[in-house]
DNA sequence: TATATTTGTTTGCATAACATACAATCAAAG
DNA sequence: CTTTGATTGTATGTTATGCAAACAAATATA
């Protein structure tokens, strides 16, 4: 193991002792950093609207699929039921959406946007456009498509 | 049931009001989902070791740079000081590392791995290898390099 | 009918980001 | 030197999220 080198020196990947490479070579590490950078910029962009990524995603999906159930929402966003509950509760407390009992399945909650939710979603989409522009500024259109494809393979 | 979904849950998204595309076209959305999938698999892989991504990253960096200060660590991992504190505290409570006052700067904490930390890091690197294999299984070597490059552009 | 599954809910715990305030230390200016 | 300002670590509190476990209501299935 190479130790005690200068902090910013880049280690030549010379150790063929079966050991794993530097942390810089770990794909998961870069995914986490990229996500962090993305989240940070998102949060800045949405300070005025006071919405998180998850909350925007939920509003967006409820708008796209009026009457969607919490479980369906959870599956699409890869959340569990308890987490979904917390998010829906917060959005409902702000009167952005409401729960309505499903007609033909008493277990399900049919989610619908409230007027305030429609309003804030429109503003959110504008903010998302800015955020996406910031994110995509470093890529060509071809690279964006490529990145979308690669990322989709991870979460699908 | 298919019948239910038609009636209640999923409506064809018809309203293309000319603004932003579907949520599926949002790059940030896919980054978050990919990160979530990655984090979920990581957590499963590390249930026995009881370590998080952040904690492994910190152990790794402290091993690579013995005597590193918390601020330096924070900068490399894009965390703030308070968050770094919490993580260091947890690792110290497990006797994975220790704080030692820096010789030349009384403000800084020089971080060093304890024997238990060296031990658990070795196991962690094995687990990381598995995790990375799972992650990279869906890509060719060329695609991995490409993805690393694209992601680095986001967080650098 | 009896049993199993689904869905939502509640509670509790852990991680983590962030803000704020504070103390100790160091650096720089006078 | 002293004063001032910046850096570093620390303590505290808030918020968001994720997950597990337990429970109730409604539905599905044997």
């Amino acid at each position: 193991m190479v130790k005690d080198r200068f902090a910013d020196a880049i280690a030549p990947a010379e150790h063929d002792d079966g050991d794993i490479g530097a942390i810089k070579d770990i794909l998961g590490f870069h995914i986490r950093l990229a996500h962090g950078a993305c989240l940070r910029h998102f949060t800045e962009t949405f300070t005025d609207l006071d919405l998180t990524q998850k909350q925007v995603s939920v509003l967006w999906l409820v708008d796209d699929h009026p009457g969607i159930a919490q479980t369906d929402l959870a599956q699409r966003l890869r959340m569990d039921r308890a987490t979904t509950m917390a998010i829906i509760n917060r959005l409902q407390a702000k009167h952005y959406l409401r729960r309505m009992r499903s007609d033909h399945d008493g277990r399900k909650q049919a989610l619908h946007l409230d007027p305030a939710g429609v309003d804030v979603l429109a503003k959110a989409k504008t903010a998302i456009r800015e955020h996406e522009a910031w994110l995509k500024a470093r890529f060509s259109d071809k690279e964006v498509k490529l990145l979308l494809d690669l990322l989709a393979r991870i979460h699908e």
Side-chain angles (χ1 to χ4, degrees), chain A:
Chain A
M1 182 119 306
V2 185
K3 288 191 177 182
D4 230 348
R5 67 176 62 254
F6 282 117
D8 288 327
I10 294 176
E14 291 286 345
H15 32 1
D16 289 314
D17 44 11
D19 190 19
I20 205 165
I23 199 171
K24 273 243 157 196
D25 299 327
I26 305 297
L27 184 51
F29 180 70
H30 286 266
I31 289 176
R32 195 161 60 64
L33 283 188
H35 172 255
C38 210
L39 179 59
R40 229 167 293 126
H41 184 272
F42 184 100
T43 306
E44 283 174 25
T45 309
F46 276 79
T47 37
D48 292 342
L49 284 175
D50 195 31
L51 287 173
T52 66
Q53 284 185 336
K54 274 276 149 79
Q55 290 168 2
V56 172
S57 298
V58 167
L59 290 176
W60 195 312
L61 280 185
V62 171
D63 184 52
D64 273 357
H65 308 285
I68 191 173
Q70 289 181 190
T71 300
D72 194 354
L73 211 52
Q75 283 172 354
R76 287 167 190 264
L77 298 177
R78 271 72 168 182
M79 307 182 297
D80 67 1
R81 283 170 299 158
T83 304
T84 307
M85 272 293 303
I87 293 170
I88 298 290
N89 284 344
R90 278 177 217 120
L91 293 173
Q92 192 178 34
K94 290 182 181 178
H95 303 98
Y96 287 166
L97 53 72
R98 67 181 56 211
R99 292 172 159 101
M100 301 201 307
R101 212 95 214 173
S102 171
D103 293 334
H104 45 77
D105 191 336
R107 296 169 299 182
K108 292 186 179 177
Q109 297 278 21
L111 301 175
H112 296 270
L113 288 193
D114 271 350
V118 175
D119 207 53
V120 83
L121 178 59
K123 290 172 186 162
K125 286 193 177 184
T126 302
I128 285 276
R129 207 178 292 123
E130 285 180 32
H131 174 63
E132 281 284 296
W134 165 85
L135 185 53
K136 289 176 176 170
R138 68 210 77 201
F139 302 122
S140 69
D141 287 353
K142 196 174 177 183
E143 287 170 331
V144 169
K145 275 191 178 179
L146 200 54
L147 186 52
L148 280 175
D149 169 55
L150 295 175
L151 290 174
R153 280 193 238 169
I154 296 178
H155 68 72
E156 269 173 0

